[in-house]
Amino acid sequence: MRIIKVLVAATSIIVLADCASAKIHKSALLQYDKQIDGIIKQMTLEEKVNMLHAKFMFVSSGIERLGIADMKYADGPFGIREEMQPKGWAGLGWETDKATFFPTGSALAATWDPELAYKYGTGMAREARLRGKDMILGPAINIQRIPTGGRTYEYLSEDPFLSSRLAVGYTKGAQDNGVAVCLKHYALNNQENNRGTVNVVIGERAMREVYLPPFRAAVEEADAFGVMSAYNKVNSFWCAENDVLLNKILRQDWGFAGMVISDWGGTHSTVRSVKAGLNVEMPDQKYFGKALLDSVKAGLVSEEIINQRVREILRVRMAVKPVPEEIANKEMTSQPAQQKIAFEVASKSIVLLKNEGILPLKLENKPIIAVIGANATQIMASGGLGSGVKTLYEITPLEGLKSRIGDKAEIVFAKGYEPVKFTWGRKSPEQLEKEKIEKELKSQELAKEALEVAAKANVVLFIGGDNRSVETEGSDRKDIFLPSGQDELIRKIAEVNPNIITVLTSGAPNDLNVVKPYSKALLISWFNGTEGGNALADVLVGNISPSGRLPFTLPIKLEDSPAFALGNYQQAKKNTDVFAKLVSETEPGEKQNKKEEIVSDDPNTAFYSEESLVGYRWFDTKNVPVMYPFGYGLTYTTFEYTKLKTDQPKYKKNDVILVSFDLKNTGKMTADEVVQVYIHRINPKVEWPQKELKAFLRVPLDPGKNRTVKLEIPVENLRFWNKSIHNWDDDLCKIELLVGSSANDIKLKKEISLR
Ligand code: BGC
């Protein structure tokens, strides 16, 4: 093992400010400060410290003596978690805590619809309030850096702008309805392997331009009240004690006035954490219990700091009214209004990738439809590690098809393959070998049955993909291949019936090299919530035109994607030079003039040497072909884009670019188009990705109808993070506006200039 020594920083004070525009967000939470002064005066030190750690697994203390209620938290982000034991991870087994399972993050993002994200937040908030909760542990808004990331399904997108718009929608929707959000996981928790030990090494520019924007937007534009610090380290400091992330960026630059809670078990110190800006240690009191009290008494932490941490919690407590005991938990958590929102999200999230005229399904002659694949009956609300939803119900694809198609077709189901099942603990080699043989035999049997069914059918609906045991918290996938031998099965099915429609119910990218050529139509239907099966059936039979768009790039192969192409996913050794460069320019926080030892081939170092080239930014800039581009998705109709205009040819740095163009539905069916505006810089002064998304809109249009679409791009949003001044800066160059229906399907272009 080679060890390189890198000088982390030799400078003394680094000024960090997001204040180029001089508009620092002023949180509504500040209005409670006078009242809070009075409360703090009445509190003993013990009472104060008592608020800074967990009371139960999902509760932290208020001050009973002063009538301040406890804070009650609930996972989040895609359904209110069942009621948990006070000190354990098991549920209490209640009957009334069955919640609506909302489509998970990548599905929500595939709608490209911030208004729908608002509704989603509304729905989550209503259920949280029915259960007496104050804070939803969501939305989960980390950028999808690697296709294999275990929580890709939970996160929104690979793109910071799309993630930001949806994070703002969700946050406003939740907080307008009386419950606080907790943005998670702040920050750079982009992988699950070694998440509790890994040190993310990243330069300032990529951090500010790619990874932090969703958090920043939700704080500045939606006044998010809560943030959860992540498990990992960023530039050598644990997120829960990261002065740069918490004090400087979150509170000072963005004006965050609320509370930061640690991820569960993600606190590592007492003095450093409380000084850096952590408010609550969850779900323990190892560092913020007696140890904190002792630290104050010993003079290591001032009472002013404790007062400030208490104040930040009390602000949220004042803004979020506790649900009275006699009202909470009286009704079933899941209710029709929320189920309707879940349906709407699901129906707008489904992405049609390919269609050789086989969809919508033709039912005139009562066809035989072979539904093949274990995912047709698989529940996606839970499974694997991490927060699942004890859902009131979940319509599976098979149930949805049966209910929507009724007797208009004969539906025959065959499981086809044995799905991956999550298991706890390690197994002996003998046990593993035995299971492998059994699985092999079972697979042969299931495949045989599937082929018999397929041979007799008019059309095969193959419903496969991952499941919640494959995509799971705590570990990343090893690769992106379809699990359980699905590729092999599809190959065999194609030999007996070429009319294959494939639906992948996955939350993250899959390798489509086999499935694409063998399928006449191909769709992604996500982990799509309580109503997922109904929404899918509506799309397949043509009640609704598909209108979801990819929130991430589908690479041809995993190795094409940036972190893997550069060999920097858990393998910093291959990039020692760039690594050293990045480390030397990182923001060091409180400890300056410090030499840091970094083990260069340590799997606990995630080295973001692709810098800002995440997702399509990488594929575009490096000219790497993709399977399907970011933003891609077909409908059952066609659209025409014409007449691109801007209100001016030249813009100053405080102007807003007004973009307009005409969009026409030239097909035969009502559908939504998601129009996307990317910008490409011409002769810029700094390096940029080939193009970046800067505006988008979901536009519903009836056949034959035309609409002038208007979008705004503030020039301010085109700034870059200048690491030499540690601030936003202008790059006033010529710009090409690219209007299209995906990152690779640009229909209209126009040049403008910034001065
Ligand atoms: C997850 C968080 C979650 C928390 C409480 C942690 O393991 O990372 O997202 O909110 O558990 O369930």
Side-chain angles (χ1 to χ4, degrees), residues 437-504:
I437 296 167
E438 281 168 8
K439 207 171 167 194
E440 189 54 38
L441 286 173
K442 183 88 185 139
S443 302
Q444 285 170 9
E445 239 174 72
L446 290 173
K448 188 168 167 267
E449 183 203 355
L451 294 181
E452 280 165 17
V453 167
K456 290 187 201 134
N458 300 96
V459 59
V460 174
L461 251 175
F462 182 81
I463 306 196
D466 299 331
N467 61 32
R468 293 282 308 280
S469 298
V470 178
E471 294 183 34
T472 174
E473 191 180 323
S475 58
D476 299 322
R477 285 181 296 162
K478 286 199 188 66
D479 53 50
I480 57 172
F481 292 113
L482 290 170
S484 308
Q486 293 178 45
D487 278 347
E488 213 25 58
L489 179 61
I490 288 179
R491 270 204 194 97
K492 286 187 193 147
I493 293 173
E495 284 169 20
V496 298
N497 191 335
N499 290 326
I500 303 175
I501 298 165
T502 297
V503 178
L504 299 178

Side-chain angles (χ1 to χ4, degrees), residues 7 32 62 128 183 250 258 373 427 434 471 522 617 690:
L7 186 67
Y32 303 107
L183 310 174
L250 181 66
K427 291 182 181 164
K434 188 171 162 254
E471 294 183 34
L522 179 58
R617 286 167 167 75
Q690 176 68 15

Side-chain angles (χ1 to χ4, degrees), residues 58 75 81 151 184-185 195 228 231 263-264 473:
F58 286 93
D75 276 306
R81 194 178 187 142
R151 297 180 92 167
K184 69 188 191 184
H185 309 85
R195 66 176 177 176
M228 184 188 290
Y231 282 127
D263 201 342
W264 270 229
E473 191 180 323

Side-chain angles (χ1 to χ4, degrees), residues 111-310:
T111 69
W112 288 60
D113 190 341
E115 284 174 26
L116 201 48
Y118 182 94
K119 278 196 199 171
Y120 189 116
T122 303
M124 285 288 298
R126 282 197 209 121
E127 300 204 353
R129 299 305 280 166
L130 281 170
R131 292 274 302 291
K133 306 296 179 196
D134 303 300
M135 184 176 274
I136 297 169
L137 303 178
I141 55 178
N142 295 86
I143 292 293
Q144 295 160 338
R145 173 178 182 246
I146 49 168
T148 49
R151 297 180 92 167
T152 301
Y153 77 90
E154 229 179 306
Y155 298 145
L156 297 166
S157 169
E158 69 183 22
D159 179 72
F161 184 69
L162 177 58
S163 297
S164 299
R165 299 337 305 150
L166 299 165
V168 167
Y170 185 132
T171 301
K172 285 189 176 161
Q175 294 195 167
D176 284 355
N177 288 280
V179 70
V181 298
C182 184
L183 310 174
K184 69 188 191 184
H185 309 85
Y186 185 72
L188 286 299
N189 181 183
N190 311 104
Q191 67 183 59
E192 288 301 290
N193 282 2
N194 302 338
R195 66 176 177 176
T197 46
V198 76
N199 177 25
V200 170
V201 180
I202 183 170
E204 279 183 54
R205 188 167 173 207
M207 180 156 89
R208 296 283 190 157
E209 292 182 24
V210 176
Y211 294 96
L212 299 189
F215 294 92
R216 180 183 175 199
V219 168
E220 291 189 341
E221 297 176 48
D223 204 13
F225 294 165
V227 165
M228 184 188 290
S229 59
Y231 282 127
N232 48 288
K233 288 183 186 174
V234 171
N235 294 336
S236 303
F237 294 92
W238 294 112
C239 287
E241 57 188 56
N242 197 309
D243 186 59
V244 171
L245 284 178
L246 301 179
N247 274 334
K248 298 211 170 51
I249 298 180
L250 181 66
R251 297 196 193 275
Q252 187 182 311
D253 293 0
W254 301 343
F256 176 74
M259 54 192 278
V260 178
I261 67 176
S262 73
D263 201 342
W264 270 229
T267 312
H268 297 265
S269 65
T270 301
V271 178
R272 283 172 75 106
S273 301
V274 78
K275 284 190 177 171
L278 181 71
N279 297 83
V280 185
E281 176 193 5
M282 290 302 289
D284 315 300
Q285 40 180 292
K286 186 169 163 196
Y287 297 102
F288 275 23
K290 184 168 178 305
L292 182 55
L293 196 60
D294 290 347
S295 302
V296 181
K297 288 182 182 161
L300 296 170
V301 177
S302 70
E303 195 155 345
E304 280 74 66
I305 294 213
I306 301 292
N307 288 348
Q308 184 56 22
R309 297 291 89 93
V310 167

